[in-house]
Amino acid sequence: MHNSVVARLESLAVWRADLDRRLLRFARFLGEQELESEIDSTRIERLRERLANDHVLVAFVAEFSRGKSELINAIFFAGAGRRMLPATPGRTTMCPVELGHDAQRPAQLMLLPIDTRLQGHSLAELRGRESAWRRVELDPGDAGTVAEALAAVTQTRLVTVDQAAALGFWNDEQPQDNPPLGDDGMVEVPAWRHAVINYPHPLLSRGMVVLDTPGLNAIGAEPELTLGLLPTAHAAVFVLAADAGVTRSDLEVWREHLGEGRIERFVVLNKIDTLVDPLLQPMEVESQIERQVEDAARALGMPADRVFPISARDALSGRVSGDDALLRKSRLPELEEALARELIPRQREMLGAAAAAIIGDLRASVAHRIGDRRRQSAEQMLELRGLRGKSGTKLKLMAQRVEAEAAEFERCVTKIAALRAVKSRMLNAVLATLASESLRSEVAAMQAALADKPLNLGAKQAFGTLCSRLRRAVANASQQVEEMRQMLAATFKQLNGEFGFSFTVPEPPALERFDTELRLLESSYARYLTITRAWRLTAPGFKEQFRRMLLSKLRKVFETAAADVEMWSKGATNPIDQQLRERRAAFQHRREAMQRVQLATGELEQRIGEVETQDQHWVDVQRRFEVLAGELIERARSGPAEPERNAA
Ligand SMILES: Nc1nc2c(ncn2[C@@H]2O[C@H](COP(=O)(O)OP(=O)(O)OP(=O)(O)O)[C@@H](O)[C@H]2O)c(=O)[nH]1
Ligand SMILES: [Mg+2]
């Protein structure tokens, strides 16, 4: 069963675990050789966290009844021998459903009641709050009861029109999207806002997360899905039905949710089994399918090889009954192969490139540290060799010179203190520019502008103003960082020249990346404000949710930028203490050497021998370190073994 996907994910998981092991070994080596620094350790920790938590999120998006849930059943749950996620004619899935597997937790279904929308908390906030969710234990060994539990995602509730409006399901100005009104004046709305399924499955356990969405066009479209969840997906599978063709509402869903952005898109033309016609030759059916694929590709502006004609129904029953011919006929394996081929390597590439860059930085900073130590040994050696055959008076003079040099060196302490003071003032200025308090007041200002004129042009304008102010803040921070860099470079140059240090300014973080992130956020939010369903934001709970969501997204951008700047600034001055310590130790060595030599001449040769041994030790450490770092980078870049080669 879809071996290639499992094999690829498996080799990805093996690669991640291997990288992690090597990183750990690398960190241990640095610790043993006393080469670690706080910053390097933080960097290694962060990278390890990323390697452990990285996942591939695939979202299934479409108008209702196109067969999203059935497709997920066919890909993920055929092994259970039955239909697991409810898939029926008409609207079935009523809330977004997230499928994943976290082995630390029991198999379970978590349901978030729809009422939570009224309080204005965003989904991201509620994720961490267990008490907000209803929990149902699942027994993976018993497919029947699991399927029964999963039926919850179709549950609805009857509420009054007012309640429906508050929940975001009713709008007097856009009656065509409203759910039907019962004779008793009640409206049917989804019972749950979100469902999370934790279920052991070969794909899910290897880091794949699947998002099934309700038919988005009419019901259940909460801003968070459009703005929070979908943009974080690595791939989206957009489902069309061959018996419906590309309808206006299909196009609307496509445009509103997948029309642009960074997500990798796959289009599925489902239900090709419905095209089978006893009066047509198979060839004729085939050319009908081809024509539909081309039409769909044209309508969506996608290349035809990204449109996959399949039958989810045939695939599911083919797999359940072990009928390989039916499975082949369903053409699902082609889609799965494409998903595995395109998606996983890309994910791997991104992770590998990020890891290689971080390890490259680590390598540079540690190599620098080793270089420093070797330089000091060389200096000591030079001095010791110079002592050979010197008289007692000469030695005394030299000892005095060491004392004078040491005293002269201590002058650097005041200069360094001044440097620290200037740096910390400058750093505080950058951090103030990127502080979340200023963000909150900017967002509040926009919110105030929104309050008077609900979501008309004024709102877009207010949002645009907010975004341009924030981008200006990032540009200012960038400028401040550049000034800091110049200050550090000039001071380091002076300190190096005067006191023989070897300080260098590391490359400052590229804040342009955050400008790009802000632009992306801006375009997706601005697009949302113009779509027809943005009226939901007029309900107070939604407005609050929108504000919190926006604020938390922005905060993340700004906090990451601030953390990067802080880390860089620390990294620039961290070596100071270390080099100070080492220089003082070197003076001490020289003093001791001189004293010993004065006592007995045999000591000198012994001392020279010691320094030689020490230098040899650093040569050895350097070599071992280079091998470790080189292997680590090579491993990060090359990625996992190709599963085909392994499998064969
Ligand atoms: N003939 C045929 N019917 C299918 C196929 N896939 C799904 N269906 C049927 O289409 C109907 C809708 O399928 P679902 O999987 O519930 O569709 P959905 O896109 O999840 O719909 P919502 O949950 O309402 O958004 C169900 O009756 C399925 O049995 C297929 O390949 N061929
Ligand atoms: Mg469904």
Side-chain angles (χ1 to χ4, degrees):
M1 181 190 87
H2 42 295
N3 279 326
S4 74
V5 193
V6 177
R8 274 178 202 272
L9 273 173
E10 176 62 34
S11 68
L12 182 68
V14 168
W15 171 75
R16 277 161 44 180
D18 178 53
L19 258 190
D20 186 62
R21 245 192 328 272
R22 285 170 193 266
L23 263 176
L24 198 60
R25 205 182 313 149
F26 185 75
R28 218 176 296 133
F29 179 79
L30 296 187
E32 283 162 10
Q33 302 301 334
E34 291 173 9
L35 283 168
E36 77 218 307
S37 75
E38 190 193 326
I39 296 192
D40 290 348
S41 309
T42 317
R43 276 197 188 138
I44 292 176
E45 265 324 295
R46 276 201 198 168
L47 181 57
R48 292 190 59 204
E49 252 164 52
R50 188 161 165 196
L51 283 170
N53 298 327
D54 201 59
H55 62 261
V56 183
L57 174 60
V58 184
F60 288 71
V61 179
E63 182 51 302
F64 74 94
S65 216
R66 298 295 184 257
K68 296 176 291 291
S69 304
E70 192 74 331
L71 179 53
I72 293 173
N73 280 326
I75 300 178
F76 292 94
F77 291 122
R82 55 166 296 153
R83 176 174 288 129
M84 295 287 265
L85 282 177
T88 60
R91 281 173 190 150
T92 307
T93 313
M94 298 301 281
C95 67
V97 183
E98 237 175 276
L99 294 146
H101 184 230
D102 173 357
Q104 312 293 330
R105 291 166 163 270
Q108 61 184 13
L109 165 69
M110 302 276 280
L111 296 158
L112 186 64
I114 195 76
D115 291 342
T116 55
R117 277 190 181 180
L118 300 174
Q119 292 120 37
H121 295 295
S122 69
L123 178 63
E125 288 170 302
L126 290 168
R127 271 180 202 277
R129 209 175 296 168
E130 295 242 347
S131 60
W133 300 70
R134 169 89 62 81
R135 221 173 70 88
V136 185
E137 290 258 354
L138 301 176
D139 174 5
D142 184 351
T145 58
V146 174
E148 239 168 73
L150 299 190
V153 304
T154 67
Q155 280 166 2
T156 55
R157 272 179 44 191
L158 289 174
V159 297
T160 63
V161 169
D162 283 348
Q163 285 169 319
L167 289 167
F169 294 112
W170 191 272
N171 178 14
D172 288 330
E173 280 154 40
Q174 296 199 353
Q176 72 281 6
D177 283 349
N178 289 345
L181 182 63
D183 292 338
D184 52 358
M186 300 297 267
V187 187
E188 200 180 10
V189 301
W192 310 106
R193 178 171 164 191
H194 200 83
V196 178
I197 300 171
N198 192 41
Y199 189 82
H201 177 280
L203 294 176
L204 305 178
S205 304
R206 287 172 176 80
M208 184 173 267
V209 176
V210 176
L211 179 67
D212 187 11
T213 59
L216 285 170
N217 205 23
I219 213 161
E222 74 166 302
E224 190 124 13
L225 197 57
T226 318
L227 295 170
L229 220 44
L230 286 180
T232 63
H234 300 98
V237 179
F238 180 68
V239 188
L240 293 164
D243 57 354
V246 185
T247 68
R248 242 186 71 185
S249 59
D250 285 322
L251 277 176
E252 223 169 280
V253 172
W254 173 261
R255 265 191 231 118
E256 280 179 14
H257 301 283
L258 303 173
E260 55 184 57
R262 288 183 282 194
I263 311 177
E264 193 76 19
R265 294 167 300 178
F266 297 82
V267 179
V268 164
L269 180 68
N270 189 26
K271 309 196 187 183
I272 52 169
D273 56 292
T274 59
L275 299 179
V276 174
D277 180 341
L279 300 181
L280 288 181
Q281 293 296 316
M283 284 295 288
E284 291 174 286
V285 174
E286 185 54 41
S287 66
Q288 265 189 16
I289 293 177
E290 260 167 43
R291 206 164 42 244
Q292 280 215 34
V293 165
E294 276 159 26
D295 288 348
R298 200 169 322 111
L300 305 178
M302 291 288 287
D305 63 2
R306 266 303 168 92
V307 181
F308 297 84
I310 66 157
S311 164
R313 174 175 286 178
D314 284 352
L316 180 61
S317 50
R319 278 192 171 142
V320 166
S321 62
D323 181 343
D324 281 343
L326 187 59
L327 177 60
R328 269 198 305 280
K329 200 173 125 232
S330 80
R331 302 211 205 168
L332 181 64
E334 278 99 310
L335 170 68
E336 289 173 339
E337 181 53 37
L339 276 168
R341 202 176 43 232
E342 306 272 333
L343 194 58
I344 300 168
R346 173 183 274 256
Q347 183 65 4
R348 208 279 316 148
E349 233 167 70
M350 274 160 47
L351 196 57
I358 294 172
I359 301 163
D361 280 355
L362 283 173
R363 165 148 88 176
S365 81
V366 175
H368 193 75
R369 238 167 286 153
I370 297 179
D372 267 354
R373 293 194 186 170
R374 287 206 59 201
R375 219 188 36 242
Q376 274 166 30
S377 303
E379 277 169 17
Q380 265 187 42
M381 184 68 77
L382 211 65
E383 186 165 72
L384 288 173
R385 288 198 175 127
L387 289 176
R388 278 178 173 147
K390 291 285 186 309
S391 69
T393 6
K394 194 87 188 233
L395 281 172
K396 219 166 252 154
L397 270 175
M398 287 180 80
Q400 277 166 7
R401 206 182 66 209
V402 172
E403 286 316 316
E405 267 179 43
E408 170 71 13
F409 172 74
E410 288 303 321
R411 279 199 309 113
C412 75
V413 174
T414 25
K415 298 210 170 174
I416 287 172
L419 164 70
R420 281 193 204 281
V422 175
K423 189 199 84 165
S424 115
R425 208 176 53 235
M426 292 179 97
L427 176 64
N428 285 340
V430 187
L431 297 184
T433 313
L434 297 172
S436 51
E437 291 85 75
S438 62
L439 261 184
R440 206 187 321 246
S441 60
E442 292 283 359
V443 172
M446 182 202 78
Q447 205 71 10
L450 282 185
D452 327 330
K453 316 160 235 171
L455 300 162
N456 47 20
L457 247 148
K460 247 196 101 179
Q461 221 169 45
F463 183 68
T465 313
L466 168 75
C467 292
S468 59
R469 290 176 66 114
L470 295 180
R471 291 221 314 274
R472 208 170 317 135
V474 170
N476 284 345
S478 204
Q479 175 63 32
Q480 288 169 311
V481 165
E482 173 54 23
E483 282 160 18
M484 244 176 114
R485 192 195 62 76
Q486 287 175 7
M487 185 281 289
L488 286 169
T491 319
F492 281 1
K493 196 170 163 204
Q494 203 193 356
L495 286 170
N496 292 349
E498 214 169 321
F499 301 101
F501 289 111
S502 59
F503 299 139
T504 52
V505 188
E507 199 52 36
L511 296 184
E512 299 79 58
R513 166 164 91 84
F514 298 101
D515 185 73
T516 317
E517 267 182 49
L518 280 180
R519 273 177 204 279
L520 270 166
L521 251 173
E522 179 175 1
S523 70
S524 65
Y525 274 66
R527 197 152 48 95
Y528 188 80
L529 285 174
T530 58
I531 68 175
T532 46
R533 264 157 296 282
W535 59 261
R536 282 177 219 279
L537 294 181
T538 50
F542 277 85
K543 208 177 266 178
E544 179 56 16
Q545 190 193 334
F546 185 79
R547 189 187 71 83
R548 279 166 186 254
M549 238 165 51
L550 178 62
L551 197 56
S552 87
K553 288 246 161 188
L554 292 173
R555 201 181 281 147
K556 203 165 152 209
V557 175
F558 275 60
E559 273 171 9
T560 318
D564 280 6
V565 172
E566 233 181 324
M567 182 105 124
W568 166 75
S569 146
K570 253 194 192 169
T573 50
N574 251 23
I576 291 182
D577 286 328
Q578 199 174 2
Q579 286 201 28
L580 260 181
R581 226 178 10 251
E582 284 172 4
R583 292 297 299 265
R584 284 183 179 136
F587 277 120
Q588 191 53 29
H589 278 312
R590 286 169 63 189
R591 276 192 199 104
E592 284 167 10
M594 223 88 66
Q595 278 159 6
R596 276 192 276 173
V597 172
Q598 277 173 324
L599 293 176
T601 27
E603 288 274 349
L604 177 60
E605 292 312 315
Q606 190 188 338
R607 185 69 197 129
I608 290 177
E610 275 168 25
V611 176
E612 264 167 3
T613 315
Q614 200 187 26
D615 189 54
Q616 198 46 50
H617 166 74
W618 285 117
V619 172
D620 186 46
V621 167
Q622 192 165 25
R623 193 182 42 76
R624 278 162 62 201
F625 164 74
E626 279 301 328
V627 171
L628 269 181
E631 276 175 5
L632 197 50
I633 291 181
E634 169 57 26
R635 196 77 184 101
R637 287 221 184 94
S638 66
E642 271 292 307
E644 282 90 339
R645 260 180 267 156
N646 281 358

